[in-house]
């Protein structure tokens, strides 16, 4: 029973982490009107998570190796909560970028430490099923927020929505902490991992032809996905139009 509670807590935390990504695209027009963001600056906000992943993803597995997966997972929810709450109080583009850097770090920590967390408590047969469910958490969380954000922004404004998302991340972290309390600590390696080996191993794997093609396809998909979400929503074009209409009146 407790193991099932822990699995649900980890999957739920991943869904909440994905919601932090889904809240951004359809809220960009309101954020742009409020903070005076250009389309370029708004898309920087949307792309920061991917840039953080490119620069630091290799270090997160090393962190899990040193301290186990529980603390990185809890740190992930803390970063998501603090970043979203800080974002609700930002007053210009720079402070919004900084808050989103914190949220991006939390999302990266959760995406990488979550499967490691599950691997520590599940046998191989159940782990295969959960690894099939894990990637589904991201589109579920994003889809929920993409559907809910237009109504929430219209009713409450984007800042209260950011507060709500931060509180949801804090609640997910509290549930995860309770579910994993008293869990036997896994054996972790001592010492600092070799940074050269951490960089060389992904490069060696990408040299294999199937993985190289998969990486290229994923790169193209990510570029298209972010371009559509950041540049093409009809609601983005209505934001500047409303501003021009108010200035003429």
């Amino acid at each position: 029973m407790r193991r099932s509670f822990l699995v649900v807590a980890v999957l739920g935390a991943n869904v909440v982490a994905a919601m932090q990504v889904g809240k951004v695209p359809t809220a960009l027009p309101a954020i742009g009107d409020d903070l005076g963001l250009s389309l370029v600056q708004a898309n920087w906000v949307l792309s920061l998570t991917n840039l953080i992943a490119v620069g630091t993803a290799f270090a997160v597995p090393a962190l899990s190796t040193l301290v186990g997966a529980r603390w990185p997972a809890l740190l992930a929810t803390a970063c998501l909560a603090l970043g979203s709450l800080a974002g609700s109080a930002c007053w210009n583009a720079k402070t919004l970028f900084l808050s989103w850097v914190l949220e991006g770090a939390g999302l990266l920590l959760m995406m990488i430490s979550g499967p490691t967390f599950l691997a520590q408590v599940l046998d191989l047969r159940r782990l295969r099923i959960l690894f099939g469910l894990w990637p589904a958490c991201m589109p579920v969380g994003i889809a929920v927020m993409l559907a809910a954000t237009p109504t929430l922004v219209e009713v409450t404004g984007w800042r209260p929505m950011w507060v709500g998302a931060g509180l949801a991340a804090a609640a997910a972290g509290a549930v995860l902490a309770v579910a994993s309390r008293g869990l036997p600590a896994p054996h972790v390696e001592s010492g600092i991992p070799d940074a050269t080996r951490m960089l060389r191993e992904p490069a060696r794997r990408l040299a294999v032809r199937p993985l190289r093609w998969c990486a290229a396809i994923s790169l193209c998909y990510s570029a298209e996905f972010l371009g559509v979400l950041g540049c093409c929503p009809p609601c983005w074009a209505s934001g500047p139009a409303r501003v021009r209409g108010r200035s003429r009146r």
Side-chain angles (χ1 to χ4, degrees), residues 64 129 228:
S64 297
I129 298 174
V228 170

Side-chain angles (χ1 to χ4, degrees), residues 171-249:
V175 172
L176 186 59
V178 172
S180 59
R181 185 176 55 190
L183 194 70
H187 173 72
V188 295
E189 297 180 6
S190 59
I192 299 175
D194 184 7
T196 303
R197 183 174 62 84
M198 287 193 301
L199 292 172
R200 187 171 59 243
E201 184 64 19
R204 185 184 67 82
R205 292 183 181 275
L206 285 176
V208 180
R209 182 169 296 178
L211 291 180
R212 191 167 57 215
W213 281 109
C214 287
I217 293 170
S218 298
L219 178 65
C220 294
Y221 172 77
S222 297
E224 180 184 12
F225 179 77
L226 290 174
V228 170
L229 281 183
C231 298
C232 294
C235 59
W236 174 256
S238 67
R242 287 197 304 270
V243 173
R244 290 194 296 268
R246 285 198 298 266
S247 64
R248 284 196 298 268
R249 288 195 294 271

Side-chain angles (χ1 to χ4, degrees), residues 72-90:
L74 295 179
L75 178 61
T77 57
C79 288
L80 292 169
L82 291 175
S84 190
L85 293 174
S88 69
C90 66

Side-chain angles (χ1 to χ4, degrees), residues 101-206:
V101 166
L102 192 57
E103 290 192 65
L107 178 66
L108 178 64
L109 283 168
M110 178 56 65
M111 291 300 298
I112 295 181
S113 64
T116 307
F117 209 166
L118 294 176
Q120 293 175 358
V121 298
L122 295 175
D123 56 58
L124 183 60
R125 182 177 62 85
R126 294 180 179 177
L127 189 61
R128 288 174 178 172
I129 298 174
L130 264 298
F131 277 1
L133 291 176
W134 181 259
C137 293
M138 178 63 72
V140 167
I142 292 177
V144 167
M145 289 305 290
L146 285 176
T149 296
T151 302
L152 292 175
V153 170
E154 186 175 352
V155 172
T156 67
W158 73 272
R159 292 182 187 272
M161 191 184 69
W162 250 242
V163 172
L167 294 177
V175 172
L176 186 59
V178 172
S180 59
R181 185 176 55 190
L183 194 70
H187 173 72
V188 295
E189 297 180 6
S190 59
I192 299 175
D194 184 7
T196 303
R197 183 174 62 84
M198 287 193 301
L199 292 172
R200 187 171 59 243
E201 184 64 19
R204 185 184 67 82
R205 292 183 181 275
L206 285 176

